[in-house]
């Protein structure tokens, strides 16, 4: 599933940018809220599926947690499954590794080859 800024930002003109540029921007946006970072850190710390104890761990209301989970799931960084009346979440390892590769390629661009610009 492709996550686009159009969903969140309306007329962001994302169509004028490459898929890679839009994807990098989407990753940056999802990391732009400390609650989402905290959720990811908690999932990594537990290294297992989490079913419903994020409210007490993160300290936000359930609807707020649910909205952040939705954003993380929409981008594919987490996956969820229904178990009884609970939805359980865990890191989507495949997508996480893909995201790391994309972000690392972007961040590891060699700026020293550009010379002294200013």
């Amino acid at each position: 599933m492709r996550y686009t800024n159009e969903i969140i930002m309306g007329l962001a003109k994302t169509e004028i940018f490459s898929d890679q540029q839009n994807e990098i921007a989407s990753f940056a946006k999802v990391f732009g809220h400390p609650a989402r970072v905290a959720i990811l850190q908690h999932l990594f710390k537990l290294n297992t599926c989490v079913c419903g104890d994020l409210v007490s761990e993160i300290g936000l209301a359930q609807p707020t947690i649910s909205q952040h989970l939705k954003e993380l799931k929409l981008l594919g960084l987490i996956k969820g499954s229904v178990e009884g009346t609970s939805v359980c979440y865990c890191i989507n390892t495949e997508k996480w590794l893909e995201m790391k590769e994309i972000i690392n390629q972007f961040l590891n661009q060699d700026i020293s080859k550009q010379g002294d610009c200013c």
Side-chain angles (χ1 to χ4, degrees):
M1 175 184 291
R2 184 173 157 202
Y3 181 89
T4 66
N5 290 336
E6 295 170 83
I7 295 170
I8 305 301
M9 300 174 66
L11 299 174
K13 298 206 180 243
T14 56
E15 68 277 355
I16 67 171
F17 301 104
S18 73
D19 287 345
Q20 184 186 40
Q21 290 166 333
N22 280 305
E23 191 166 32
I24 290 168
S26 295
F27 289 135
K29 183 173 177 64
V30 85
F31 288 122
H33 197 291
R36 291 191 284 266
V37 173
I39 289 168
L40 289 167
Q41 288 176 321
H42 184 66
L43 292 174
F44 273 115
K45 182 175 82 174
L46 295 179
N47 197 27
T48 188
C49 284
V50 174
C51 301
D53 64 347
L54 287 172
V55 171
S56 61
E57 182 65 32
I58 306 300
L60 297 172
Q62 181 61 54
T64 304
I65 294 288
S66 294
Q67 184 60 39
H68 290 302
L69 289 168
K70 178 182 171 187
E71 295 297 323
L72 291 166
K73 190 172 179 186
L74 187 61
L75 190 54
L77 293 179
I78 64 171
K79 52 187 174 181
S81 62
V82 177
E83 293 188 13
T85 59
S86 297
V87 180
C88 301
Y89 291 96
C90 62
I91 299 292
N92 181 348
T93 306
E94 183 179 322
K95 185 66 176 183
W96 183 263
L97 294 173
E98 177 186 321
M99 181 269 312
K100 281 178 56 176
E101 179 64 30
I102 291 166
I103 295 296
N104 281 332
Q105 286 176 7
F106 175 70
L107 294 176
N108 290 331
Q109 296 178 85
D110 191 357
I111 59 172
S112 66
K113 291 181 183 177
Q114 295 178 5
D116 191 12
C117 69
C118 298

